[in-house]
Amino acid sequence: MRRSSSLCLILIVLTSPSAIHAQEQATDPVEAARGWRGAHAARILEDYASLLAIPNVASDAENIRRNAAVIRDLFARRGATMELLTLDGAPPIVFGRLEAPGATRTLGIYVHYDGQPAEPSRWTNDPWTPTLYTASMEDGGSPIPFPAAGEPVDPEWRIYARAAGDDKAPIPALLAALDALGNAGIGRTSNLVFFFEGEEEAGSPHLGEYLDRYADRLDGIDAWLIFDGPVHQSRRPQLVFGVRGVTGMEITLYGASRQLHSGHYGNWAPNPAMMLARLLASMKDDEGNVTIAGFYDTVVPVGEAEAAALASVPDPDESLRRELGLVRTEGGNTPLKQRLLLPSLNIRGLESANVGDAARNVIPSTATAAIDIRLVKGNEPDEMMNLVEAHIRSQGYHIVREDPAMETRLAHERIAKVTRSRGYVAARTDMNDPIVADLSRAAERAAGEPVILVPGLGGSLPLYLFTERFDVPLAIVPIANHDNNQHGDDENLRLANLWYGIDLAAAILTME
């Protein structure tokens, strides 16, 4: 990778008078953004790679603060008044304000700068050594050096690194948009409040406390824009006006008090792995519908505006099935957009004894499943977990919260330890709100085509913390490619999506 000796030197070059006056000024904000990124593409990528190279797992206090300090300084160089808000034991919030003379609207801009943990041995390249590829690895892309200034940049190239798609991408997009508008002398139409979180991937345990403690700094925000998530699977841009909530649990079943030889005790000692398989299978039918009593009863249907928007969302299902190697999908091939309106029950991990070279001829003593439950409007986390526990009891299990003592083992035929996770509810904005039309026009200007409006995203964000405290609309503004391997190994960002993010940010910052 070609890099300058200092991120600061790069920023000085980018904001120097010679760079600012080197290109013709444009009067249209999207054209200004395209001109700027066309002239500075290599430097935008180099800056972004420098940011991605800083590990950003929320529990890594030293590096998470390094991220926060760098991001603070990047926006301060664009004229924003920046500071780090702090709480004991929590990653800092990168907070700032950027006023626009004469503006009558204030937009709150949320981004999370932390990422999922990464296991380097599972990645093709080190997750915090950003690597540029000519295309996606699945399509045969190969690694190449980062371009030097003035060299052409292919929008189909991809940057591979942790947090490339989730969720550092909005940061270079916003910075480049501010540079482009400043260079062209185009004024922003909204005041901006930046609120960048450093532990979203850890469940945002301190976000509510931050919002309460620093509430005075958030007065006067007219709408919240959440820069996170992928564009539609068709690659068309989308705006999203809600997210599912999430909760979950771990279920551990018990057999004998120690592992047993499968030859000596097979067909006699109960096998908790087999018991767990049966229990989990009892929770869903062959079409993937949850069979737990009451699981769908509290779902709040979408309104008329949301239903109309949903009807116009294209169905990517057939192409997605081909891309993912699936002959059929759940719900009798019901469209994905319809399935996302329902709560889901997912097995996200299983553990019992060993497999592969480590497998032994034993009957395991325990078996554990980790489950996540995605929630829609109307579902309460505790109530949904209560339904799952009621189902477990209906299958003959005695539920405990700690590993059972021998007395408990001898008193109950079937024992399940259930450990609940923290959870939060879904959030959704009324799509009749005027901000929906304003954002739609801005996104259409940036994309050059009609934007897809989606009532709710399949993933989860703790947006209820905003909707509970602020009586203002909230919208999710995704820019990442749908196949960015979010949360997985070899996470990536397609450059065309970064370019769209720059154009979109310029359009939003100047929307009427």
Side-chain angles (χ1 to χ4, degrees):
M1 181 189 307
R2 295 183 189 137
R3 294 203 182 168
S4 62
S5 59
S6 168
L7 178 60
C8 293
L9 289 177
I10 294 172
L11 295 171
I12 292 170
V13 171
L14 281 175
T15 55
S16 67
S18 60
I20 289 176
H21 296 295
Q23 62 184 109
E24 292 185 17
Q25 290 189 344
T27 57
D28 177 81
V30 174
E31 289 304 316
R34 290 171 181 166
W36 179 266
R37 62 175 170 78
H40 301 89
R43 288 190 178 123
I44 292 170
L45 296 185
E46 199 165 6
D47 278 358
Y48 189 33
S50 296
L51 181 61
L52 291 171
I54 308 174
N56 64 331
V57 178
S59 59
D60 182 355
E62 180 180 354
N63 277 316
I64 208 72
R65 289 191 66 87
R66 285 180 60 207
N67 277 276
V70 168
I71 295 167
R72 175 199 60 197
D73 295 346
L74 287 169
F75 281 88
R77 290 177 182 275
R78 273 72 178 183
T81 302
M82 303 296 297
E83 61 179 313
L84 298 185
L85 308 181
T86 59
L87 291 172
D88 288 343
I93 295 289
V94 182
F95 178 84
R97 298 189 68 94
L98 187 57
E99 306 295 330
T104 59
R105 173 166 55 195
T106 298
L107 299 176
I109 306 291
Y110 170 96
V111 177
H112 70 85
Y113 63 89
D114 67 313
Q116 283 280 327
E119 186 178 335
S121 64
R122 298 177 60 91
W123 285 59
T124 304
N125 305 287
D126 181 82
W128 288 288
T129 302
T131 308
L132 192 63
Y133 273 69
T134 57
S136 71
M137 292 180 182
E138 292 78 6
D139 290 337
S142 55
I144 55 173
F146 275 72
E151 291 183 351
V153 173
D154 187 336
E156 292 303 318
W157 290 351
R158 298 201 183 202
I159 296 180
Y160 281 82
R162 175 55 91 214
D166 182 24
D167 184 39
K168 283 185 176 178
I171 294 170
L174 287 163
L175 293 170
L178 290 171
D179 289 340
L181 296 176
N183 171 68
I186 299 174
R188 290 172 289 101
T189 55
S190 298
N191 301 314
L192 304 178
V193 173
F194 301 114
F195 192 90
F196 301 155
E197 186 192 4
E199 57 179 352
E200 190 275 339
E201 298 293 6
S204 299
H206 297 93
L207 180 56
E209 188 177 353
Y210 267 121
L211 292 173
D212 290 338
R213 178 172 296 190
Y214 296 100
D216 59 321
R217 289 171 167 81
L218 304 175
D219 286 342
I221 292 175
D222 298 296
W224 280 97
L225 304 184
I226 312 299
F227 280 77
D228 197 0
V231 300
H232 192 258
Q233 289 89 350
S234 63
R235 287 193 172 184
R236 284 178 57 189
Q238 65 178 355
L239 296 171
V240 183
F241 299 94
V243 289
R244 294 201 285 188
V246 67
T247 190
M249 58 177 59
E250 286 198 351
I251 304 167
T252 299
L253 303 189
Y254 297 85
S257 59
R258 64 176 183 271
Q259 290 187 349
L260 299 173
H261 190 288
S262 63
H264 297 323
Y265 295 98
N267 291 338
W268 182 80
N271 187 315
M274 186 66 71
M275 295 163 62
L276 182 61
R278 291 181 180 276
L279 176 62
L280 295 174
S282 74
M283 296 181 181
K284 299 184 81 170
D285 64 20
D286 290 343
E287 289 296 338
N289 300 307
V290 179
T291 56
I292 295 170
F295 197 78
Y296 299 117
D297 289 356
T298 56
V299 173
V300 175
V302 297
E304 291 185 8
E306 287 78 12
L310 196 67
S312 66
V313 174
D315 291 333
D317 295 68
E318 191 56 41
S319 62
L320 266 180
R321 279 190 281 267
R322 287 196 301 270
E323 176 184 327
L324 301 175
L326 298 172
V327 174
R328 57 177 289 277
T329 44
E330 293 184 336
N333 287 340
T334 299
L336 173 63
K337 63 184 181 182
Q338 297 289 343
R339 297 293 284 180
L340 296 182
L341 297 177
L342 296 173
S344 68
L345 182 75
N346 174 60
I347 301 168
R348 62 191 185 101
L350 291 169
E351 182 178 81
S352 187
N354 299 294
V355 298
D357 292 341
R360 299 292 182 266
N361 294 329
V362 300
I363 301 171
S365 58
T366 64
T368 301
I371 290 174
D372 69 68
I373 305 169
R374 299 289 172 161
L375 310 176
V376 299
K377 196 74 171 178
N379 300 151
E380 292 290 335
D382 284 338
E383 291 179 6
M384 298 299 281
M385 287 189 287
N386 287 344
L387 293 176
V388 177
E389 288 194 7
H391 180 84
I392 295 171
R393 289 189 180 95
S394 75
Q395 302 300 302
Y397 286 89
H398 172 70
I399 292 179
V400 297
R401 304 301 176 190
E402 304 289 341
D403 289 330
M406 185 60 72
E407 181 181 3
T408 303
R409 285 176 173 271
L410 295 176
H412 300 279
E413 179 180 332
R414 297 180 178 183
I415 300 171
K417 182 179 73 173
V418 177
T419 306
R420 295 189 178 204
S421 302
R422 297 175 64 252
Y424 52 81
V425 297
R428 197 160 68 208
T429 289
D430 184 352
M431 290 183 65
N432 287 311
D433 192 281
I435 194 68
V436 176
D438 294 343
L439 286 170
S440 299
R441 285 190 293 269
E444 189 167 334
R445 286 166 60 199
E449 62 178 327
V451 66
I452 298 171
L453 304 180
V454 183
L457 193 69
S460 301
L461 288 166
L463 302 189
Y464 78 99
L465 293 169
F466 293 88
T467 57
E468 285 181 350
R469 289 165 172 78
F470 307 101
D471 187 21
V472 299
L474 179 149
I476 302 165
V477 185
I479 66 172
N481 40 296
H482 81 278
D483 57 348
N484 69 91
N485 293 345
Q486 180 178 356
H487 289 197
D489 308 324
D490 292 335
E491 182 179 349
N492 65 87
L493 184 73
R494 175 174 167 257
L495 296 194
N497 288 78
L498 179 57
W499 295 166
Y500 164 68
I502 296 170
D503 298 349
L504 178 61
I508 287 175
L509 300 186
T510 57
M511 67 183 181
E512 299 298 330

